[in-house]
Amino acid sequence: SVPGVVPTVFVCGPMHSATRAEKEAFVEGLDGSTIWQCLVPTLVVPAALLAEANLSAVLELRREGVRSSEALPTATNCVDERSAGGVGARGAHSPPPTLSGVLLVGVLLLTLTVPVGSWIPTVLLLVLLAASGGCHYLARRDLALRAAWRLAKANNLFYARRNFITALRGSVMLMTCVCILAVDFPCFPREYGKTETFGTGLMDLGVGLFVVSSALTSRWARAHGTASQGASPPDMESAGSGAIGVLVTIAPLLLGALRLAVLKLLNYQEHVSEYGTHWNFFLSLACVHGLAAGAHRCLPTSMVMPMCVMCVLLHQYVLIVSDGALTKWILTAPRGGGFFADNREGLLGILPLTWFTKLGVLAAALWFAYTIFAHGVQPTSRRLSNGAYVAWVLASALSLLLAFGAVDLIAPVVPSASILNAMNRHQLPTFIIANLLTGAVNLSVDTMHAPGVQARVILLAYIAVVAVVPLVLEFRRSRGQATSAREGRRKAL
């Protein structure tokens, strides 16, 4: 048989108990890394988007040739020109979507599979920024290209739809899909894994960023945005809204129950300090949706945000009162004391995740608050979901959102990576297929002893398969919309 591969494990079914124990020990007892080391892998995605957008602009503007700077359009013309595929829109000579996806996945895999503290991620980030600066230099050096570049930027500024929220949600899903499998390979730095007690690891950000990014496009966020523009907000009590609310609560609940049953059936490895013995992310997500809906139905809109802040402070107080009795119980109490004790991390983390859905919509610069909590009150802990963890996740989410927003404003064309757009729109099927493939790989491959090259090849093949699902779904959706539009025009004629 091939060294490092154990095909009989997958063929025979359940994982051997010794293998399970070894895999669980591989991801336990981690201490995390520094804040900067967690931020670098997340910042390479917006840097790659900016480099790709600038390169696209240079290639397309050179193809279109010289255009007079006197032709700078009005706001209306800019929108019309973009809709017609004018300057600043993606053209036939810009890098194809497949190349954009390869660039994003390539830089992300390279960043996540080198040792923490290596110069490679920082240098890669600087190279991407330098490439963007080089494109700007070329545009300024050539007088003809400079006029076209300014025209493209003017066009982009009047583009109605901003891309940064789509990019944030898509990149969070892409990083999550990569990390949930990569953590089982030795080429993935242990410092990026979920911390055991206190600390900041890249994967500690995952669940918080996912909830915050979902909150940015939630029904309540859209209703708030509609009301702030002077329009009447949608009726949150309508039958349609109620049905959607039930669906987004029931679907994760069913998936959580199914995941629990499958894990127990296959004797699959579980990191019990993550959520508990029986709990998982899907069950937490279902509870978060239910609590968020209840908060909006029971509380006036003006009271939701103050209530969330008060709950964060109260939760932190309870963790440190009585010499940190609750903290010690969460971190050190043995399992087997009942359902609540067995799943304390998951159950006690539901409320902080719900606060993310509220605070994430109106997040401010929280790095100062994080510093106060982490260094003056209690160190950051995902398992405790304490004040430092809440502030860190929200501050990181805001920093990423600002980075993607800056890309939107700086780039002369709208940055558009098909893989991020597709993952943003089809998050649930993407996450489900990623979990299924992660399980299949762990049941069939000795991930802990896989050589670096083999691990990277497996990860590349895995993320390629995962990306196909949302891309196909998005293609079918776009084709359906085009067909409906043609039918509508035909009937109008």
Side-chain angles (χ1 to χ4, degrees):
S1 61
V2 180
V5 179
V6 190
T8 55
V9 175
F10 182 68
V11 173
C12 295
M15 182 179 292
H16 193 276
S17 297
T19 303
R20 169 179 169 165
E22 189 180 8
K23 284 180 175 287
E24 288 176 347
F26 189 59
V27 295
E28 292 176 347
L30 306 181
D31 298 323
S33 58
T34 66
I35 295 297
W36 173 246
Q37 290 167 344
C38 290
L39 273 179
V40 169
T42 62
L43 292 177
V44 295
V45 178
L49 276 181
L50 180 60
E52 187 268 338
N54 283 330
L55 178 60
S56 297
V58 169
L59 293 176
E60 185 167 350
L61 293 176
R62 284 189 178 278
R63 176 182 64 86
E64 291 188 357
V66 179
R67 296 185 62 172
S68 172
S69 59
E70 297 177 357
L72 285 175
T74 63
T76 304
N77 291 338
C78 281
V79 174
D80 293 341
E81 188 176 43
R82 174 171 290 282
S83 301
V87 175
R90 296 283 171 153
H93 289 258
S94 58
T98 303
L99 183 58
S100 301
V102 170
L103 175 64
L104 288 175
V105 172
V107 297
L108 190 58
L109 278 181
L110 178 59
T111 305
L112 293 176
T113 55
V114 295
V116 168
S118 169
W119 51 268
I120 294 178
T122 303
V123 169
L124 180 61
L125 182 62
L126 294 176
V127 167
L128 291 171
L129 294 176
S132 300
C135 292
H136 275 276
Y137 174 75
L138 289 176
R140 292 177 62 86
R141 185 178 179 183
D142 188 326
L143 293 179
L145 186 58
R146 183 191 305 174
W149 185 276
R150 289 176 176 173
L151 176 64
K153 290 198 69 172
N155 192 357
N156 190 29
L157 287 175
F158 287 111
Y159 186 36
R161 181 181 177 182
R162 300 262 63 90
N163 196 57
F164 59 94
I165 294 180
T166 296
L168 172 67
R169 285 166 50 85
S171 64
V172 167
M173 179 53 62
L174 177 61
M175 286 187 287
T176 300
C177 291
V178 171
C179 287
I180 60 175
L181 178 60
V183 70
D184 296 315
F185 289 95
C187 63
F188 184 83
R190 298 297 90 192
E191 293 87 347
Y192 287 156
K194 292 186 176 180
T195 54
E196 193 67 25
T197 53
F198 296 101
T200 53
L202 177 63
M203 293 188 69
D204 288 324
L205 277 175
V207 59
L209 285 181
F210 184 89
V211 175
V212 170
S213 64
S214 297
L216 292 172
T217 56
S218 66
R219 292 181 295 149
W220 308 290
R222 291 196 299 269
H224 177 80
T226 304
S228 66
Q229 293 174 7
S232 299
D235 183 9
M236 301 304 292
E237 302 292 336
S238 65
S241 296
I244 294 175
V246 171
L247 179 62
V248 298
T249 301
I250 295 297
L253 189 63
L254 295 176
L255 288 172
L258 180 62
R259 187 180 192 276
L260 173 62
V262 171
L263 291 186
K264 299 301 181 183
L265 180 65
L266 296 177
N267 195 36
Y268 193 77
Q269 76 258 23
E270 297 177 89
H271 191 187
V272 293
S273 67
E274 185 176 350
Y275 292 102
T277 306
H278 311 98
W279 207 256
N280 57 58
F281 171 71
F282 291 109
L283 297 178
S284 291
L285 194 61
C287 293
V288 166
H289 282 306
L291 286 175
H296 274 275
R297 291 177 185 275
C298 299
L299 295 174
T301 303
S302 60
M303 289 297 297
V304 173
M305 186 63 63
M307 185 64 68
C308 288
V309 174
M310 289 177 59
C311 287
V312 171
L313 297 176
L314 178 61
H315 180 73
Q316 180 61 68
Y317 174 76
V318 172
L319 286 173
I320 62 176
V321 73
S322 300
D323 198 26
L326 180 60
T327 294
K328 295 176 183 177
W329 179 77
I330 294 174
L331 297 179
T332 63
R335 309 285 168 175
F339 182 79
F340 187 84
D342 285 350
N343 304 282
R344 52 187 180 268
E345 292 88 356
L347 293 171
L348 291 174
I350 291 173
L351 278 177
L353 289 179
T354 306
W355 305 331
F356 288 150
T357 67
K358 308 300 131 209
L359 297 175
V361 176
L362 303 173
L366 293 167
W367 286 114
F368 179 73
Y370 162 75
T371 303
I372 296 298
F373 274 118
H375 298 286
V377 182
Q378 188 179 50
T380 310
S381 176
R382 172 192 51 81
R383 288 180 65 185
L384 300 177
S385 298
N386 58 5
Y389 177 72
V390 173
W392 174 49
V393 170
L394 289 174
S396 299
L398 176 64
S399 299
L400 271 177
L401 198 62
L402 290 175
F404 284 116
V407 172
D408 258 10
L409 292 175
I410 295 173
V413 296
V414 176
S416 179
S418 298
I419 186 173
L420 297 186
N421 295 336
M423 285 187 171
N424 162 66
R425 193 177 294 275
H426 307 283
Q427 288 196 334
L428 187 58
T430 301
F431 194 57
I432 290 175
I433 193 64
N435 274 267
L436 292 174
L437 289 176
T438 297
V441 171
N442 271 285
L443 288 170
S444 58
V445 176
D446 183 9
T447 55
M448 293 181 298
H449 303 98
V453 174
Q454 180 189 10
R456 290 175 176 85
V457 170
I458 292 174
L459 286 171
L460 188 59
Y462 153 81
I463 199 62
V465 175
V466 169
V468 166
V469 174
L471 287 173
V472 170
L473 291 175
E474 182 64 11
F475 173 75
R476 293 183 61 182
R477 187 193 69 86
S478 300
R479 188 172 62 176
Q481 286 184 339
T483 302
S484 299
R486 286 196 299 268
E487 290 295 331
R489 287 194 297 266
R490 187 179 296 110
K491 291 179 180 179
L493 294 176

